[in-house]
């Protein structure tokens, strides 16, 4: 089989590998399509602290089950499924409280173990979720990205009374905007970014207002417009954002952080406690695939609005370079296997 492998940082190849055999309680998926994520770029360049090399990358993928391991019903062969990349132990404290995404022995497909940028991939059977026929192929590839939005929203509990501020109009920000609009019906959604083209994508995804903060003080701009966000999502992940979010937030607001920046930031306890602000962090997803599949079936979200490019897997270097460098016009890039 052909697999896209990062052998060492900055050394990405398409190589021939043996087709893996599913182990006990596993299934094997013949991959049809996979999406490129920023974390794939980070692994390629050696900037992901969790990755082990060599690594077949890719954690957004779907396909058809073509083999099953011991203790898995052979009737599952032929199922059209999407893979959840979160592989957990099921017995540690986080797992016991419904948070397998931060399992003490967490393995992420495409990071700690080989992923879906390959003609075949194996994973625990419980991590394969049936994709109904009503969901088309491109949308199936987008299920995993929307689980990230579902996870942060599950912690923030958006309501129709909220005024939401979303930092960043990249894939994480845009999936969050669609969820806030189509699923939770929040009162108002404001998106801030420094790229006009991305801000237009935000409008198409359901934002009510867009703000380009390249040359303005966001806090002053919001106060001037009488806007005090009750719900803030940081999908841009720069260390300067959290202090600013605390400053602009309404009393009793909730702030959700989606990033992995290792750079320190300075925040004031007084700024948090004086408003009794709640701050949440979110990593990956905790069993959100069935929920997102339901959203898609009910057309509460529109994944097609985020897909800008398609490539065959043989063009992976070109596809990843485009995703990394052409942020004005490129959002989600899908690879066909």
């Amino acid at each position: 089989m052909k697999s896209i492998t990062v052998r060492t940082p900055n050394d990405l190849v398409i190589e021939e590998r043996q087709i893996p055999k599913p182990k006990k309680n596993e299934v094997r998926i013949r991959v049809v399509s996979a999406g490129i994520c920023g974390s794939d770029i980070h692994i390629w360049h050696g900037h992901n602290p969790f990755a082990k090399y060599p690594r077949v990358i890719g954690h957004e993928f779907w396909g058809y089950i073509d083999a099953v391991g011991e203790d898995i019903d052979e009737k599952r062969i032929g199922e059209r499924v999407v893979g959840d990349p979160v592989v957990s132990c099921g017995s540690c404290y986080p797992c016991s409280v419904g948070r397998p995404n931060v399992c003490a022995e967490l393995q992420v497909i495409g990071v700690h173990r080989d992923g879906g940028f390959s003609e075949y991939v194996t994973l625990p059977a419980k991590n394969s979720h049936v994709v109904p026929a009503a969901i088309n192929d491109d949308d199936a590839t987008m299920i995993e990205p929307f689980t990230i939005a579902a996870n942060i929203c599950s912690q923030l509990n958006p309501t129709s009374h909220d005024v939401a501020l979303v930092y960043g109009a990249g894939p994480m920000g845009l999936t969050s905007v669609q969820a806030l609009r189509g699923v939770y019906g929040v009162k108002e959604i404001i998106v801030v970014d420094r790229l006009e083209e991305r801000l237009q994508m935000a409008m198409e995804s359901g934002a009510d207002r867009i703000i380009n903060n390249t040359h303005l003080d966001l806090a002053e701009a919001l106060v001037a417009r009488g806007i005090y966000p009750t719900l803030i999502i940081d999908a841009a992940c720069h260390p300067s954002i959290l202090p600013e979010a605390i400053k602009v937030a309404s009393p009793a607001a909730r702030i959700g952080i989606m990033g992995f920046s290792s750079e320190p930031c300075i925040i004031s306890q007084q700024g948090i406690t004086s408003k009794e602000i709640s701050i949440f962090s979110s990593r990956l997803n905790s069993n959100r695939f069935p929920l997102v599949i339901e959203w898609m079936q009910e057309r509460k979200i529109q994944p097609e609005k985020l897909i800008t490019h398609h490539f065959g897997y043989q063009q992976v270097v070109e596809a990843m370079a485009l995703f990394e460098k052409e942020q004005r016009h490129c959002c989600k890039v899908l690879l066909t296997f």
Side-chain angles (χ1 to χ4, degrees):
M1 70 174 183
K2 300 295 184 183
S3 299
I4 297 168
T5 306
V6 180
R7 295 187 295 197
T8 58
N10 297 311
D11 181 14
L12 183 148
V13 297
I14 299 175
E15 63 181 8
E16 188 71 33
R17 287 192 166 201
Q18 286 191 333
I19 298 176
K21 293 183 179 180
K23 299 176 183 178
K24 184 177 180 179
N25 294 318
E26 288 188 341
V27 298
R28 184 175 70 203
I29 297 175
R30 173 63 176 93
V31 177
V32 174
S33 177
I36 295 175
C37 174
S39 63
D40 300 314
I41 304 295
H42 296 155
I43 295 172
W44 181 21
H45 294 316
H47 299 155
N48 186 315
F50 308 108
K52 308 296 181 184
Y53 300 91
R55 179 61 61 229
V56 178
I57 54 176
H59 59 271
E60 305 172 4
F61 60 91
W62 75 272
Y64 293 90
I65 293 176
D66 83 319
V68 298
E70 184 182 348
D71 289 346
I72 301 302
D73 193 336
E74 290 189 357
K75 291 180 180 178
R76 293 211 63 184
I77 293 176
E79 286 183 353
R80 180 174 180 249
V81 296
V82 61
D84 182 344
V86 175
V87 180
S88 56
C89 73
S91 58
C92 67
Y93 171 71
C95 287
S96 73
V97 295
R99 297 173 70 177
N101 52 320
V102 286
C103 170
E105 299 179 21
L106 177 66
Q107 286 191 315
V108 180
I109 294 171
V111 181
H112 305 93
R113 58 185 278 174
D114 286 338
F117 282 12
S118 183
E119 292 182 300
Y120 295 89
V121 62
T122 59
L123 71 166
K126 66 180 182 179
N127 285 56
S128 60
H129 298 270
V130 174
V131 180
I135 296 175
N136 68 40
D137 291 355
D138 279 359
D139 288 359
T141 319
M142 293 292 293
I143 292 173
E144 195 280 341
F146 274 93
T147 67
I148 309 304
N151 208 68
I152 189 66
C153 286
S154 72
Q155 299 193 62
L156 296 174
N157 292 316
T159 74
S160 58
H161 301 291
D162 278 310
V163 173
L165 173 65
V166 178
Y167 282 92
M172 287 195 302
L174 295 176
T175 54
S176 297
V177 168
Q178 287 202 14
L180 291 172
R181 171 59 66 226
V183 178
Y184 297 97
V186 303
K187 180 180 179 180
E188 184 174 12
I189 303 171
I190 305 127
V191 179
V192 57
D193 200 290
R194 296 185 175 184
L195 297 177
E196 283 297 329
E197 294 84 355
R198 282 296 183 89
L199 288 169
Q200 290 306 312
M201 291 184 192
M203 289 295 290
E204 293 169 7
S205 285
D208 298 292
R209 300 194 198 199
I210 52 176
I211 299 175
N212 188 321
N213 67 334
T214 304
H215 303 296
L216 59 75
D217 182 304
L218 181 64
E220 290 182 0
L222 292 176
V223 169
R225 301 178 192 189
I227 299 172
Y228 302 94
T230 61
L231 184 152
I232 300 174
I233 294 178
D234 174 11
C237 313
H238 189 276
S240 66
I241 291 176
L242 181 57
E244 183 177 72
I246 293 168
K247 181 179 179 181
V248 304
S250 160
R254 295 95 74 209
I255 299 173
I257 308 169
M258 302 177 77
F260 265 109
S261 174
S262 60
E263 306 249 340
C265 68
I266 299 175
I267 59 175
S268 161
Q269 281 187 332
Q270 181 179 3
I272 299 168
T273 308
S274 63
K275 300 183 193 177
E276 202 172 66
I277 292 172
S278 299
I279 300 176
F280 300 87
S281 62
S282 182
R283 183 181 184 187
L284 302 165
N285 88 96
S286 53
N287 298 318
R288 307 295 175 191
F289 275 72
L291 178 62
V292 171
I293 289 169
E294 181 180 311
W295 290 356
M296 285 193 182
Q297 283 186 289
E298 297 177 0
R299 293 298 296 164
K300 291 181 176 179
I301 51 177
Q302 291 80 46
E304 69 279 359
K305 292 184 177 181
L306 308 185
I307 300 169
T308 54
H309 295 81
H310 294 79
F311 289 87
Y313 76 88
Q314 301 91 339
Q315 299 170 284
V316 63
V317 173
E318 179 184 348
M320 291 182 69
L322 178 76
F323 179 86
E324 179 181 15
K325 297 174 182 177
E326 185 48 75
Q327 295 184 9
R328 291 184 181 276
H329 303 287
C330 176
C331 188
K332 287 304 294 184
V333 178
L334 307 189
L335 299 174
T336 302
F337 287 84

